[in-house]
Amino acid sequence: MKIRRLEILRYKNIESFSAELSDGVNVISGLNESGKSTLVEALTDLLFTDPESTAKRLKENKSWNETQSFELSMDFETGSKRYRLKKNFDVGLTLLTNLESGEEIDNHRKIQSIINNSLGLANKDIYLATSTIRQDEIDLVSRSSDAIKDKLEGLITGGKEEVLASEALKKVEGRIQEIKKEGHKHLGVLQKLQKKKQEMIYELDKAKREIEIVTKNRAKLKETQSLLEGIRTEYQAKKSQMEKAARAAENEERRKNLEERYSDLNNRVKSIKSSDQLLAELKNEISKLPKIDEDDIRLVEEQSAQIRYLENKKSPIEQKAVDLAEKIEQAKPNVLVKVLALFFLAASVGMTTYFFAFAQMSDTRFLIGAGADFVIFLVTALIWFTKSRQVSALEINYQIKKDNLEEVITDYDNASATVRELLARYKASGVSDLKKKFEDYRDLEKEIKSEARRNETWLGGKTLVQLEEDLQRVTRDLAVENETARELRIYSMEAEDSEKLRMVVEALEKQKSNLEATELSLRRQLEFAESGCELQASLEERLEYIDEDIQRAKRILRVYELTHDFIEKSRKNVLKASLSRLEEQTSNLLSTVSGGKYQKVKFDPSNLSYEVFSAAKDDWIDPNLELSRGARDQLYLAARLALVQMISQEKKPLLIMDEPFLTFDHLRRREALEVLRVTGEDHQVFILSCHPYYDSVASKKLYLSQELQSAPESHTPVGV
């Protein structure tokens, strides 16, 4: 993260401050009381404080004699993005603007998440303990040791447990203190119980001196209570076993149901897939057959029957026509009859003519002959006429038969053409083949419909995909139940054993009820027997409860202490990996900043205190006891920079230092400045000082005090 422009208005003694900042080391010079430490506070509020906060110090931080509260803003870069952050503490406004896209965010939590991510540090405490060095506070790393330890643990655990462990330790330590605390006004839990116990013992001794008549009943009550406690314990154990056995039985029932469901779904899915395949085959097979109209089948059958009928009808008609033709030929008058008729007619006419013309009606023989010839003519003419009428009648019948035959032949040809056309349409070799194809198509249709109904029955209103999803879900549920079954296997029992256990539980419950009734009866007897002196029983009972509370408090205390030790031990084990890296980096920086005098550092995982290896003593030493202030500050500077590098990793947060090297002599300062120069290559560094020590490593120099501005043409003055 790198700040490009900073602006502060009405913050304590800073009326107005604005500056363009550069990469590397930015040195801000100012006299004492000119606002250097105030600038550090303003930067901290700009980075972390919510303007909507009602903290009292925020009201105190506004400039004197100003009615409006302060405003803070900065332009900064993080990664490839450029933002402008503005905080107006007068109206409680926080606004973050993406300078490239123009997107604005006014939610403080989202903005703080972006700032923390840009810094690479989880919160304000860690930032102040590592990246911010206030005047004469270079050694105050330990003030946020818990937060730093959480973050170092997070480097190993991934950050998921770091806060939980710290909060758990605080809660456990609070509970331990609450139980163990001793004092006069504010007593701890154990001290309260012990005091209460002493009071009870005193009151009980006093009551015992007054009451001795209920001793036997009290002993019996205790015996009953002891027995009742045992029964209760056994009852709870058996009841728990029975409940787990019931859970195991329920699990077994669910498993059976799931197995049945799985088997049903699996069979349905397989059947559906098989049915789908069969349907595809049937549809493919039916697609190869023509779809024959049933009316066409009926028409073909009718026309075929008509053809057979016409075939049967045609032969007799043809035979009759042939017979009639023969009869016509036979019935026709032969030539002899015609010749005789014409001859006798001519003879009769000639004789009659001769009788009247030439014989002058004298010779009657001609007249008789003419008459005889005419009679013969009539006979032959009658024969001729009769034959002709018979032939006419036969010819009429013949023509009728012929017409009938032609009609039969026409109907036959039409029927044959219809049959041939239909057979050709359906590519059938004959009527039987056509009927077979029709039957095959109909059978396939029935089979497809039947298979489709079976398929729909298996689907049950769902799709195959839904059934497969149901199968997967049932498979997962069955796996879960199988896992549960493995856990409950030891509690599984036969129905007979389960029934026996139920009877035992019922018997124990009844026995418990009886003992509770006995206990209640004894209590009432004691109350009655004491006749106003029941205080002893009450005190004894309360004393027992107090003893139980004391023992319980001790057990809880022991649990808390063990928990605290376990968490602390676990944290130390987790910290070892990150502390080894921290020790290595701190040692390297310390070697550089101390000119090689001190080269090894180790940390105490419990509080992050330091020890330095002294080559002169050939042993580890406590820097707070055996090193000078300057040497200690060298160590703390190395530790801070190493912590920043480890905790922020690739984020490179900006570093703020207010007179960081006050305790360094010129040699230590020279080495420290070299480390600072190298640090400025990766980090943006702000140094606030009234001394010119840092000018040699400054990328840019700014002024809070005009008195220190020695070269205005080469520096950027800032008005205050």
Side-chain angles (χ1 to χ4, degrees):
M1 178 182 188
K2 294 182 179 179
I3 299 177
R4 293 307 179 196
R5 177 176 177 78
L6 178 65
E7 185 171 353
I8 300 171
L9 297 175
R10 303 184 299 279
Y11 194 94
K12 285 190 175 181
N13 61 332
I14 299 178
E15 289 294 334
S16 175
F17 175 90
S18 62
E20 302 289 336
L21 303 168
S22 70
D23 294 346
V25 180
N26 293 264
V27 177
I28 303 175
S29 294
L31 295 175
N32 291 333
E33 303 298 325
S34 63
K36 299 189 298 299
S37 298
T38 300
L39 188 60
V40 175
E41 290 184 45
L43 268 171
T44 304
D45 282 337
L46 178 57
L47 290 172
F48 296 104
T49 304
D50 185 355
E52 293 184 352
S53 171
T54 58
K56 182 179 178 182
R57 72 166 188 86
L58 294 179
K59 296 180 180 179
E60 296 173 350
N61 282 352
K62 70 179 181 180
S63 292
W64 303 320
N65 302 321
E66 288 284 350
T67 57
Q68 287 183 297
S69 190
F70 49 91
E71 294 183 40
L72 309 171
S73 68
M74 68 176 180
D75 293 354
F76 67 96
E77 295 178 357
T78 174
S80 61
K81 297 181 178 180
R82 296 177 62 247
Y83 293 98
R84 173 169 294 151
L85 174 63
K86 182 178 180 180
K87 291 188 177 182
N88 188 326
F89 287 78
D90 189 49
V91 297
L93 170 68
T94 304
L95 184 64
L96 181 69
T97 305
N98 188 317
L99 295 177
E100 295 173 352
S101 65
E103 178 188 4
E104 293 184 345
I105 303 174
D106 59 4
N107 183 284
H108 176 75
R109 293 182 63 182
K110 290 183 179 179
I111 294 173
Q112 195 60 55
S113 176
I114 294 173
I115 297 296
N116 292 345
N117 185 59
S118 301
L119 292 171
L121 301 172
N123 53 53
K124 177 180 177 180
D125 291 338
I126 295 179
Y127 185 76
L128 294 178
T130 56
S131 299
T132 302
I133 300 176
R134 296 176 184 268
Q135 185 171 331
D136 205 28
E137 293 184 356
I138 194 171
D139 59 340
L140 293 184
V141 179
S142 60
R143 65 184 175 183
S144 295
S145 61
D146 288 339
I148 293 172
K149 284 192 290 182
D150 289 343
K151 191 63 182 177
L152 291 174
E153 289 173 25
L155 296 176
I156 304 300
T157 65
K160 295 179 181 177
E161 295 83 10
E162 57 190 74
V163 176
L164 294 177
S166 179
E167 290 180 353
L169 276 176
K170 289 179 182 177
K171 290 181 180 179
V172 171
E173 289 169 355
R175 291 296 296 145
I176 292 173
Q177 179 63 20
E178 185 181 329
I179 295 172
K180 292 177 65 176
K181 182 172 61 176
E182 295 184 2
H184 297 289
K185 292 181 66 176
H186 304 289
L187 307 182
V189 174
L190 278 174
Q191 191 177 5
K192 286 181 182 178
L193 290 172
Q194 292 291 353
K195 183 178 179 181
K196 195 172 183 180
K197 180 179 179 181
Q198 293 301 322
E199 293 173 353
M200 289 294 172
I201 291 174
Y202 173 78
E203 294 293 333
L204 184 60
D205 289 341
K206 182 179 177 182
K208 281 182 178 180
R209 288 192 296 268
E210 298 175 358
I211 302 173
E212 295 179 356
I213 60 174
V214 292
T215 303
K216 292 182 180 180
N217 283 343
R218 190 176 303 283
K220 187 176 180 182
L221 177 61
K222 288 185 177 181
E223 181 182 353
T224 301
Q225 289 174 333
S226 176
L227 182 59
L228 179 59
E229 184 66 25
I231 291 297
R232 282 173 175 165
T233 302
E234 185 179 2
Y235 169 74
Q236 290 298 331
K238 294 294 185 182
K239 185 178 179 182
S240 176
Q241 183 182 0
M242 184 179 72
E243 290 172 349
K244 289 177 179 178
R247 285 177 55 200
E250 291 172 358
N251 169 261
E252 182 64 24
E253 182 66 22
R254 287 194 298 271
R255 284 178 60 243
K256 287 181 180 178
N257 292 337
L258 284 171
E259 286 174 352
E260 292 175 0
R261 177 71 173 152
Y262 172 83
S263 177
D264 175 61
L265 286 171
N266 192 40
N267 291 335
R268 285 171 66 185
V269 168
K270 288 181 178 178
S271 299
I272 290 166
K273 288 182 178 179
S274 175
S275 177
D276 287 342
Q277 183 178 357
L278 179 58
L279 280 171
E281 292 174 357
L282 291 172
K283 288 178 180 178
N284 180 56
E285 188 175 348
I286 201 172
S287 66
K288 298 177 182 178
L289 293 174
K291 186 174 182 180
I292 302 172
D293 192 337
E294 193 169 359
D295 291 337
D296 290 340
I297 289 289
R298 189 162 45 252
L299 181 59
V300 167
E301 289 179 338
E302 291 174 355
Q303 294 300 316
S304 297
Q306 181 72 4
I307 289 170
R308 290 193 298 274
Y309 168 75
L310 292 173
E311 285 178 345
N312 294 331
K313 185 177 180 181
K314 183 175 69 171
S315 296
I317 293 174
E318 287 178 342
Q319 186 61 44
K320 286 184 178 181
V322 171
D323 292 342
L324 285 172
E326 291 177 355
K327 287 180 179 180
I328 289 171
E329 289 298 328
Q330 292 175 1
K332 285 181 179 180
N334 54 30
V335 178
L336 180 59
V337 173
K338 293 179 180 180
V339 171
L340 287 175
L342 292 174
F343 173 76
F344 284 113
L345 178 59
S348 175
V349 171
M351 286 185 180
T352 302
T353 301
Y354 186 79
F355 172 72
F356 284 100
F358 295 102
Q360 300 177 354
M361 296 181 296
S362 59
D363 192 354
T364 58
R365 289 179 299 167
F366 288 100
L367 185 57
I368 294 169
D373 289 337
F374 185 72
V375 170
I376 294 171
F377 163 72
L378 289 175
V379 172
T380 56
L382 180 61
I383 293 171
W384 188 0
F385 177 73
T386 302
K387 289 282 187 181
S388 296
R389 288 191 64 182
Q390 185 177 2
V391 167
S392 296
L394 289 172
E395 285 179 345
I396 290 171
N397 288 334
Y398 176 76
Q399 188 62 42
I400 290 171
K401 294 297 181 184
K402 190 176 180 181
D403 292 341
N404 289 340
L405 181 61
E406 288 177 356
E407 183 180 351
V408 168
I409 291 172
T410 300
D411 291 343
Y412 179 85
D413 291 341
N414 290 337
S416 298
T418 300
V419 171
R420 284 195 301 274
E421 188 272 331
L422 289 173
L423 292 177
R425 181 189 302 173
Y426 296 114
K427 298 179 181 179
S429 59
V431 177
S432 59
D433 184 38
L434 182 65
K435 292 175 68 176
K436 182 177 181 304
K437 287 184 177 181
F438 174 77
E439 294 296 332
D440 290 346
Y441 191 93
R442 187 171 61 182
D443 291 343
L444 285 172
E445 271 190 331
K446 290 180 180 178
E447 194 170 350
I448 288 172
K449 289 180 181 178
S450 176
E451 192 62 35
R453 284 194 296 271
R454 284 195 294 272
N455 195 300
E456 290 175 0
T457 301
W458 288 320
L459 285 171
K462 294 186 176 182
T463 64
L464 178 58
V465 173
Q466 290 174 328
L467 287 177
E468 288 177 333
E469 290 175 352
D470 290 346
L471 180 60
Q472 292 177 356
R473 186 163 50 254
V474 169
T475 303
R476 289 195 299 270
D477 293 344
L478 185 58
V480 171
E481 292 299 334
N482 286 333
E483 183 64 27
T484 304
R486 283 192 288 273
E487 295 174 0
L488 296 174
R489 184 179 294 126
I490 59 174
Y491 303 108
S492 181
M493 58 180 64
E494 299 294 333
E496 183 179 352
D497 296 333
S498 179
E499 180 63 21
K500 289 180 180 178
L501 180 60
R502 185 188 64 78
M503 294 175 65
V504 169
V505 170
E506 288 179 354
L508 286 171
E509 186 174 14
K510 185 176 181 180
Q511 191 175 359
K512 181 172 74 71
S513 298
N514 292 336
L515 285 172
E516 287 174 344
T518 301
E519 180 193 28
L520 181 61
S521 175
L522 286 171
R523 285 183 183 280
R524 288 176 177 174
Q525 290 176 18
L526 285 171
E527 291 173 1
F528 178 77
E530 287 169 351
S531 62
C533 299
E534 69 278 356
L535 180 60
Q536 180 182 350
S538 174
L539 290 172
E540 286 179 346
E541 185 177 357
R542 289 165 61 188
L543 184 60
E544 290 176 1
Y545 290 152
I546 290 175
D547 283 333
E548 291 177 0
D549 290 342
I550 291 172
Q551 294 302 318
R552 187 180 300 108
K554 289 180 177 179
R555 289 196 299 271
I556 292 173
L557 176 62
R558 181 58 180 161
V559 169
Y560 280 131
E561 289 174 340
L562 289 173
T563 302
H564 183 276
D565 293 343
F566 176 78
I567 295 175
E568 192 62 43
K569 184 177 179 181
S570 299
R571 295 189 77 188
K572 288 178 181 179
N573 290 335
V574 171
L575 276 172
K576 284 181 181 178
S578 56
L579 284 180
S580 64
R581 290 170 54 195
L582 180 60
E583 288 169 353
E584 180 182 354
Q585 294 187 23
T586 305
S587 298
N588 292 337
L589 288 170
L590 179 61
S591 176
T592 301
V593 79
S594 66
K597 186 174 181 179
Y598 301 108
Q599 299 183 357
K600 292 183 181 179
V601 177
K602 68 178 180 180
F603 294 86
D604 184 347
S606 62
N607 57 12
L608 292 183
S609 61
Y610 308 86
E611 285 189 346
V612 182
F613 185 78
S614 171
K617 285 193 172 186
D618 193 26
D619 196 6
W620 295 93
I621 61 174
D622 185 343
N624 295 313
L625 298 177
E626 302 192 42
L627 294 183
S628 67
R629 177 65 184 276
R632 289 202 306 272
D633 285 353
Q634 283 180 316
L635 171 61
Y636 288 120
L637 175 64
R640 279 176 176 265
L641 294 177
L643 281 169
V644 169
Q645 292 176 10
M646 280 195 64
I647 294 175
S648 65
Q649 297 181 334
E650 79 281 358
K651 296 296 182 179
K652 310 300 182 186
L654 61 94
L655 306 178
I656 305 173
M657 301 183 181
D658 184 6
E659 293 291 5
F661 304 153
L662 278 177
T663 61
F664 289 9
D665 56 34
H666 71 282
L667 293 176
R668 287 192 176 101
R669 190 179 301 118
R670 183 182 63 191
E671 300 296 339
L673 286 172
E674 177 59 23
V675 171
L676 197 60
R677 184 191 65 78
V678 174
T679 302
E681 294 176 359
D682 293 326
H683 296 261
Q684 188 179 37
V685 183
F686 294 166
I687 297 181
L688 296 97
S689 175
C690 61
H691 300 289
Y693 305 146
Y694 311 98
D695 293 0
S696 61
V697 296
S699 301
K700 188 167 188 176
K701 188 168 183 180
L702 308 171
Y703 293 93
L704 285 171
S705 303
Q706 296 294 341
E707 294 86 344
L708 291 179
Q709 188 174 352
S710 59
E713 70 279 3
S714 61
H715 299 286
T716 305
V718 179
V720 180

